[in-house]
Amino acid sequence: MKLVVAAALALQTTPVAPIVKGTALPPPASEEAAVLVPINGLFAAIAKRDGQAALPFVRAEGRITGAGNRPDGSPVVNGRGWADYAGTLKPGPERYEERMPNPAIEVDGDIAMAWGDYVFLVDGKVSHCGVNHFDLVRENGAWKILNVTWSRRTTGCPGK
């Protein structure tokens, strides 16, 4: 009888295929929130137009790189180190705001990636949009942005 029950249970077990790379279950909410801390800190520094306020959230050797189009439509890729970028964030009359409402976050040990659509507003109006890709590392228990790469377009943006 035991053999029949064991055989019946074995027949009911369905093998599960491994998760396809890049579609893993999200990390626990607390880990996701921790990865977002430096990203939100960078967005706050942009909103304050204070480059020095951005520096505690990044690793100095990293880069910030944007890919988009010139006014004539030709492609352009611009990149700079974090110190140079911080020098470009200066006080001004316009109000900046960057939103990335639903980032996908992947974590493996002390590295993480956050990827998502963003919208950049100037004085409450959509200026441009695209996709942000953040490359982060955890050191001494805190996440830091190593690199950020984004695409930039002025058409097809939500709210524009």
Side-chain angles (χ1 to χ4, degrees):
M1 179 68 152
K2 287 183 182 178
L3 183 57
V4 173
V5 171
L9 288 175
L11 291 174
Q12 293 175 5
T13 304
T14 305
V16 177
I19 295 174
V20 176
K21 188 81 172 146
T23 60
L25 295 174
S30 61
E31 191 152 11
E32 268 185 347
V35 168
L36 289 173
V37 166
I39 295 170
N40 290 331
L42 177 61
F43 289 168
I46 291 168
K48 290 192 297 189
R49 298 181 71 157
D50 182 351
Q52 294 305 305
L55 295 178
F57 300 104
V58 302
R59 286 189 51 99
E61 70 272 17
R63 294 188 58 79
I64 185 163
T65 304
N69 291 312
R70 292 182 179 94
D72 67 4
S74 62
V76 63
V77 175
N78 291 318
R80 57 178 43 132
W82 285 111
D84 288 341
Y85 175 74
T88 68
L89 281 178
K90 297 181 181 184
E94 303 88 6
R95 188 173 35 98
Y96 292 168
E97 181 183 0
E98 185 162 357
R99 297 179 188 160
M100 191 171 78
N102 297 306
I105 298 171
E106 295 277 345
V107 178
D108 185 32
D110 290 329
I111 66 168
M113 179 211 59
W115 169 287
D117 294 327
Y118 78 89
V119 176
F120 193 90
L121 298 99
V122 176
D123 292 332
K125 295 174 127 181
V126 174
S127 166
H128 60 276
C129 63
V131 171
N132 281 331
H133 170 232
F134 289 87
D135 174 19
L136 301 98
V137 293
R138 182 169 33 203
E139 58 184 10
N140 301 320
W143 289 101
K144 299 273 186 164
I145 300 167
L146 179 59
N147 300 301
V148 109
T149 308
W150 77 93
S151 61
R152 179 185 170 148
R153 62 183 174 276
T154 56
T155 59
C157 298
K160 190 165 187 179

